[in-house]
Amino acid sequence: MAKKAKTVFICSDCGNEHPAWQGQCNFCGAWNTIVEQKVQPTPVSDSRRRVSQAAQPVRLDSVGTDSYSRIDSGIGELNRVLGGGIVLGSLILISGEPGIGKSTLIIETADNIARRYGKVLYCSGEESEQQVKLRADRVCASAGVRKACATASDSPVSENLYIYPETCIDNIISACEQTKPSLLIIDSIQTMYTAEVDSVAGSVTQIRACSNLLMKLAKTNNIPVFIVAHINKSGDLAGPKTIEHMVDCVLNFTGERDKDLRILRSFKNRFGTTDEIGAFRMSSEGMVEVSDLSGSLIENSDVLEQGSVISAVYEGSRPVFFEIQALVAKANVGFSRRTALGIDHNRLNMLLAVLEKQAGIPLLDYDVYVNVVGGLKPDSPATDLAVALAIFSSLRERTSPRRTVAVGEVGLTGRLRSVPNADKIIVEAERLGYEKVILPTKNAEASKSNKVRLCGADNVRDAIKLYLAD
């Protein structure tokens, strides 16, 4: 039988409760501020509640606005993407295709936090203790430490790192109450289930129910929780799309199977920006941070090749330089082919139409292939100008006489639109030793450089002339 609502008398100014209605508040002394409220009793054990105890409404201006407490993950690139570290009580979802390196990055983070802050509970629903231990021995210590571990009993893994091969989320919550970890890791959410829901593990209902219990655990005990999730080809159902609105931060790990570069990008972050990216390289010893991403993406920058143009985008707090290659060849069949790797295929078709209409460059009977070297997939339209110049360079078999960087968004009228943070891109171009930067006129007028020649262009036709000029 449902319990009846309880009637309480609360002062609207100070929020204190009184046994009965009265004209003056006994606590703050205000008159005629006692109001009657009905409170519906809710079981404390209700898993749908975010916190374990009932809360009262408070005035927003009385809430403190101090900075969130963060802990250092021990990995600079991960801290950069998270906004400076892991926020206590946050729920972080890291997703990516199977085998991309999620578990490798997580186990390294877990070992770093275990050495600095105390116990870390790693809950694995896919692998046994021995499998996790083999990975941890490989990635959690340097080569010198491994050589010092002469016997099987000696381990480079922190003694505060606990492994728990369990798929029942209720048992995991009980284990957290006993061990009181400083970090909880769920690998992966698709294998977890709760007895409160009558469905198989990995279903949408189970994933939502388990995520709700983990959110309650994180907020109530101020424990940061990492949730690992796989995605399928469409990113639906079993993937993170069903719970990303519940978590505080959504990280996506991307990369090509045939290349060692991995990019960690934040799609949602309640405690930081979503513009940052982190760069890693997959090696036999785990994930290696890439601090100079531009230098790693560009090889043989001194060689001037036809169909190759350097471009740049500003990601979070750093500019990233990369090479765009284009190959234009005479079509041998009835229909010309357009292939794009790293950029949007529809945007490539738009640029080809602009070049033909506004710059007078015929491309109807040519196959066009465009590739962003290194596996990076820039989302910014600032790469439009570099793509257009690379296509022209390959078609006419001509290249710039100087080491050149091209940035700028191309409109349908052929005009160049300004790009944000162009001044910081110019500074990075100076550091990398480039001689000329082609950019929209508005950006060129607002920037200055003593080492790099700034060439401002109003449209694509002018940019092509500046590209060929000395």
Side-chain angles (χ1 to χ4, degrees):
M1 182 176 180
K3 295 182 180 180
K4 295 183 178 180
K6 176 184 176 183
T7 302
V8 296
F9 299 92
I10 298 177
C11 175
S12 59
D13 279 1
C14 64
N16 289 297
E17 183 178 344
H18 296 72
W21 186 90
Q22 57 192 56
Q24 185 182 19
C25 177
N26 296 331
F27 298 93
C28 65
W31 285 90
N32 299 323
T33 58
I34 307 299
V35 295
E36 179 182 348
Q37 292 185 3
K38 293 185 179 296
V39 179
Q40 185 68 35
T42 305
V44 176
S45 59
D46 192 347
S47 62
R48 296 170 297 179
R49 295 182 60 86
R50 179 176 174 179
V51 294
S52 58
Q53 298 179 355
Q56 295 293 335
V58 295
R59 285 164 40 187
L60 185 60
D61 60 357
S62 64
V63 179
T65 57
D66 296 335
S67 299
Y68 288 97
S69 299
R70 298 178 184 266
I71 58 177
D72 184 9
S73 66
I75 302 177
E77 293 295 304
L78 179 59
N79 289 339
R80 178 199 296 269
V81 177
L82 291 175
I86 303 174
V87 176
L88 295 178
S90 61
L91 198 62
I92 302 173
L93 174 70
I94 177 169
S95 61
E97 296 180 356
I100 206 68
K102 302 182 300 297
S103 299
T104 301
L105 179 65
I106 288 297
I107 193 65
E108 186 175 351
T109 304
D111 183 70
N112 292 336
I113 294 178
R115 295 178 186 274
R116 298 186 182 191
Y117 301 99
K119 297 179 180 178
V120 173
L121 183 60
Y122 190 109
C123 301
S124 175
E126 300 178 343
E127 300 174 305
S128 64
E129 304 100 312
Q130 291 79 11
Q131 290 175 311
V132 177
K133 180 61 164 55
L134 287 174
R135 182 189 301 112
D137 288 341
R138 176 171 55 88
V139 305
C140 292
S142 62
V145 175
R146 287 197 205 95
K147 292 179 180 179
C149 300
T151 64
S153 59
D154 296 329
S155 174
V157 183
S158 171
E159 60 182 9
N160 287 326
L161 180 54
Y162 289 78
I163 178 67
Y164 188 31
E166 179 59 65
T167 57
C168 180
I169 204 70
D170 305 302
N171 294 339
I172 292 176
I173 293 176
S174 300
C176 289
E177 295 176 352
Q178 297 176 2
T179 58
K180 300 185 183 304
S182 57
L183 175 67
L184 173 64
I185 297 174
I186 305 296
D187 188 7
S188 66
I189 191 65
Q190 277 86 8
T191 62
M192 300 296 161
Y193 75 95
T194 174
E196 297 181 1
V197 178
D198 188 15
S199 61
V200 297
S203 63
V204 176
T205 307
Q206 281 286 4
I207 290 178
R208 287 177 176 172
C210 293
S211 300
N212 189 39
L213 292 173
L214 291 173
M215 180 176 64
K216 177 183 176 182
L217 174 68
K219 305 304 179 183
T220 303
N221 300 279
N222 209 28
I223 300 174
V225 179
F226 265 97
I227 300 177
V228 180
H230 296 302
I231 62 174
N232 50 29
K233 292 183 178 180
S234 59
D236 298 328
L237 297 178
K241 292 293 184 181
T242 58
I243 58 172
E244 64 180 9
H245 67 283
M246 301 174 60
V247 301
D248 298 311
C249 185
V250 178
L251 306 180
N252 185 251
F253 219 25
T254 59
E256 302 293 336
R257 287 295 188 89
D258 57 342
K259 299 178 181 178
D260 56 358
L261 182 65
R262 301 289 186 269
I263 299 296
L264 183 66
R265 187 184 298 271
S266 173
F267 288 148
K268 172 186 176 182
N269 192 354
R270 289 174 177 161
F271 311 109
T273 179
T274 57
D275 296 330
E276 291 284 1
I277 64 170
F280 301 87
R281 286 198 179 277
M282 176 70 80
S283 67
S284 59
E285 298 180 358
M287 291 294 173
V288 179
E289 297 181 62
V290 179
S291 57
D292 187 9
L293 182 57
S294 299
S296 63
L297 290 173
I298 301 175
E299 297 181 358
N300 300 325
S301 59
D302 294 332
V303 180
L304 302 177
E305 297 178 322
Q306 297 175 0
S308 174
V309 177
I310 303 299
S311 186
V313 294
Y314 198 79
E315 295 282 0
S317 60
R318 61 180 175 181
V320 179
F321 283 61
F322 48 88
E323 180 184 0
I324 293 181
Q325 292 181 347
L327 176 63
V328 180
K330 192 69 176 178
N332 296 323
V333 294
F335 297 96
S336 56
R337 301 181 59 183
R338 277 87 170 92
T339 302
L341 297 178
I343 65 172
D344 184 65
H345 186 270
N346 294 327
R347 198 155 192 88
L348 172 61
N349 290 330
M350 184 202 74
L351 292 173
L352 294 176
V354 171
L355 286 174
E356 189 159 358
K357 176 70 175 181
Q358 307 298 340
I361 301 175
L363 294 166
L364 181 62
D365 298 330
Y366 290 89
D367 295 332
V368 179
Y369 305 89
V370 176
N371 177 40
V372 180
V373 181
L376 192 67
K377 297 179 180 180
D379 297 328
S380 174
T383 60
D384 289 351
L385 181 58
V387 173
L389 293 179
I391 294 173
F392 170 82
S393 175
S394 177
L395 176 66
R396 302 301 188 196
E397 297 183 355
R398 299 180 63 183
T399 186
S400 175
R402 295 181 179 272
R403 297 181 60 201
T404 304
V405 178
V407 291
E409 178 182 356
V410 178
L412 291 178
T413 61
R415 296 189 63 85
L416 300 184
R417 300 176 59 87
S418 60
V419 297
N421 300 305
D423 53 339
K424 299 176 182 178
I425 293 176
I426 293 172
V427 173
E428 182 69 6
E430 294 178 352
R431 186 186 72 86
L432 295 175
Y434 288 96
E435 301 172 301
K436 183 169 63 174
V437 177
I438 303 176
L439 68 171
T441 302
K442 187 175 180 180
N443 290 128
E445 293 175 350
S447 304
K448 295 181 180 180
S449 177
N450 296 325
K451 299 180 180 179
V452 178
R453 179 184 174 187
L454 303 182
C455 302
D458 293 324
N459 50 59
V460 176
R461 190 184 295 270
D462 293 342
I464 293 175
K465 295 179 181 179
L466 292 173
Y467 177 74
L468 298 176
D470 191 355

